[in-house]
Amino acid sequence: KDIVKMRLVEDEVNKFVTPIKSHLKVLYEDKYYIAVFKESGILTHSSKYNETPSLEQLVCGYFLPINFIFRPLNRLDKDTSGIVLIAKDEFSASLLNNQIKRDKVKKTYRAIVKGVPIKKHFIIEKPIKRVCDKDGQYAKTECKFIKKLENGLSELEIKLHTGRTHQIRVHLSNIGYPLYADSLYGEKIVGKTFTLIAYKLEFK
């Protein structure tokens, strides 16, 4: 004769995010997830300091008049473009986050770097603490040479085996192939920013 009571708590919408109805490039959508293309130069999350619309505002605007809660499963830096995968509910987010923790989600990037690597395929395994540091966290980056470009630049395909902050930029800079126009880890070029694109995301 036990009595079990269950209270279903509704998700709380972020009151500080103003949805913006604008162009959003949708790459994939089903009942549980939506994958969109984030342009370079915009933030993934909203901030009171951002001068341009964030991806969060654009996604929430896409779902109007529904009060959508933004649950990105991968995050990209402001100047990194490419795929951002977003869960439509808390349960779907939990399922995929579990895959991410078990390294079952594969992320592949394309980058423009200074210099031409000697090897066509190479792996960088160096601990990172904002820079390569023996006391930092283990990090592994796999690189494949795609083609040589003009002005001593190259295009690389990069697979992340770990997800440290600025991992690709730190690792490539450390071995002498910084991202072109990377003002933080390479050379600042007025009017330009680095080219790093999250172009493939694989998951079950």
Side-chain angles (χ1 to χ4, degrees):
K1 296 184 179 181
D2 290 344
I3 296 175
V4 178
K5 291 184 178 181
M6 187 188 309
R7 184 169 64 94
L8 299 179
V9 182
E10 289 190 10
D11 289 332
E12 290 188 6
V13 175
N14 188 342
K15 295 180 289 185
F16 301 102
V17 175
T18 304
I20 296 176
K21 198 80 174 176
S22 183
H23 171 71
L24 181 70
K25 188 174 181 180
V26 177
L27 305 173
Y28 172 82
E29 184 176 5
D30 60 23
K31 291 193 298 181
Y32 313 104
Y33 304 102
I34 180 170
V36 301
F37 185 88
K38 186 187 91 66
E39 302 287 349
S40 174
I42 70 170
L43 295 168
T44 300
H45 285 279
S46 295
S47 164
K48 63 180 179 180
Y49 302 109
N50 60 304
E51 298 174 356
T52 57
S54 67
L55 184 67
E56 182 175 15
Q57 289 175 292
L58 298 179
V59 171
C60 289
Y62 173 81
F63 284 101
L64 284 174
I66 297 171
N67 290 324
F68 186 76
I69 296 174
F70 187 64
R71 297 185 181 87
L73 296 158
N74 63 309
R75 294 163 180 79
L76 301 180
D77 294 338
K78 179 181 177 181
D79 291 320
T80 302
S81 61
I83 302 167
V84 176
L85 183 65
I86 300 142
K88 290 186 174 181
D89 58 77
E90 193 171 355
F91 181 63
S92 299
S94 176
L95 288 177
L96 206 61
N97 274 323
N98 189 40
Q99 284 193 48
I100 292 170
K101 288 177 182 176
R102 293 185 291 117
D103 295 326
K104 298 296 182 181
V105 176
K106 298 178 182 178
K107 303 174 186 177
T108 308
Y109 293 75
R110 288 285 174 97
I112 305 298
V113 302
K114 289 190 68 176
V116 182
I118 298 172
K119 294 182 178 180
K120 302 300 181 186
H121 178 268
F122 54 97
I123 292 175
I124 309 167
E125 283 188 275
K126 294 186 177 183
I128 287 176
K129 192 164 65 176
R130 287 292 180 175
V131 294
C132 287
D133 189 308
K134 61 182 178 61
D135 297 322
Q137 293 179 299
Y138 171 78
K140 180 179 178 181
T141 306
E142 184 178 356
C143 303
K144 178 183 175 184
F145 176 79
I146 300 298
K147 61 183 176 182
K148 183 179 178 180
L149 306 173
E150 295 179 351
N151 302 319
L153 305 177
S154 300
E155 181 179 350
L156 302 183
E157 179 180 283
I158 301 160
K159 290 186 178 180
L160 282 181
H161 293 271
T162 52
R164 309 304 178 202
T165 301
H166 296 176
Q167 178 175 321
I168 292 173
R169 297 164 66 189
V170 171
H171 268 174
L172 288 174
S173 176
N174 181 262
I175 64 168
Y177 302 112
L179 267 61
Y180 173 68
D182 186 347
S183 59
L184 186 59
Y185 298 102
E187 179 185 3
K188 182 177 181 179
I189 299 176
V190 178
K192 293 185 179 293
T193 186
F194 60 82
T195 299
L196 182 61
I197 303 171
Y199 93 106
K200 187 188 290 185
L201 192 65
E202 300 171 77
F203 64 97
K204 291 186 179 180

